[in-house]
Amino acid sequence: MTQPIFMVGARGAGKTTVGSELAKALGYKFVDTDLYLLRTSGLSVADIVDREGWEGFRRRETEALKAVCSPLTVIATGGGAVLAQENRDFMREAGTVIYLRSPATTLANRLEDAPQEDQRPTLTGRPITEEMMQVLNEREALYQEAAHHVVDGTQDPARVVNSVMNALALPMA
Ligand code: ADP
Ligand code: MG
């Protein structure tokens, strides 16, 4: 299997952490669409949202997904990449999609512990647990729809990488 592997899930799901470890384990390249946008535009997610709104960011994100898509690559996507049907269809067609699933409380704890690693502006300005509950309410079905495999993301990263490797050996959902 040489198709790209797309990591989807909310902020704090471990897309970057688990995705880069997975790439190492498989001998794949690793790319992060947020970092790709930063490298190619010189703008952070926050900058783009400031200048162009979330709509402008989403448009750039769709372009980024397509631009980074190549064989033997693990791709960490932005938490909202699944919002667009176009992105969901594209990822499912072009590669294998893994949803790293964790409850809102787990996501919120991680984001609170390491706020500096999360460079996305909050979507709602509300307390983080509430925000993550709202985000999962809105997106859970979309993550599931996009994913070929849903993986429990609550264990430590090495174990999550193992679960993803096991899932990759299974027939696709
Ligand atoms: P994402 O890219 O999905 O937003 P990150 O990989 O940046 O998530 O992880 C967010 C934070 O949570 C980081 O501080 C990271 O170290 C931590 N983290 C990620 N995955 C796990 C995990 N499986 N167990 C514990 N902490 C994790
Ligand atoms: Mg990330």
Side-chain angles (χ1 to χ4, degrees), residues 1 3 6 8 14 32 34 39-40 47 59 64 76 85-86 107 110 123 125 145 160-161:
M1 193 195 71
Q3 282 194 322
F6 294 93
V8 304
D32 198 301
D34 287 352
R39 274 209 327 271
T40 54
D47 292 333
R59 199 167 44 240
Q85 171 98 49
E86 180 183 356
L107 301 173
R110 288 179 187 166
L123 292 166
E145 181 192 316
V160 181
V161 169

Side-chain angles (χ1 to χ4, degrees), residues 86-153:
E86 180 183 356
N87 295 348
R88 298 196 299 277
D89 292 345
F90 174 76
M91 291 189 287
R92 275 192 72 91
E93 288 263 307
T96 307
V97 185
I98 305 288
Y99 170 28
L100 292 182
R101 186 164 187 264
S102 285
T105 46
T106 303
L107 301 173
N109 287 339
R110 288 179 187 166
L111 295 174
E112 268 169 358
D113 285 350
Q116 72 288 352
E117 284 173 43
D118 178 37
Q119 292 169 353
R120 286 180 170 238
T122 75
L123 292 166
T124 58
R126 305 234 307 267
I128 190 74
T129 305
E130 253 180 65
E131 176 170 319
M132 297 322 289
M133 287 171 102
Q134 187 187 329
V135 163
L136 290 184
N137 266 335
E138 288 168 5
R139 297 185 189 161
E140 177 67 19
L142 301 179
Y143 289 130
Q144 301 256 4
E145 181 192 316
H148 293 105
H149 303 289
V150 179
V151 170
D152 175 11

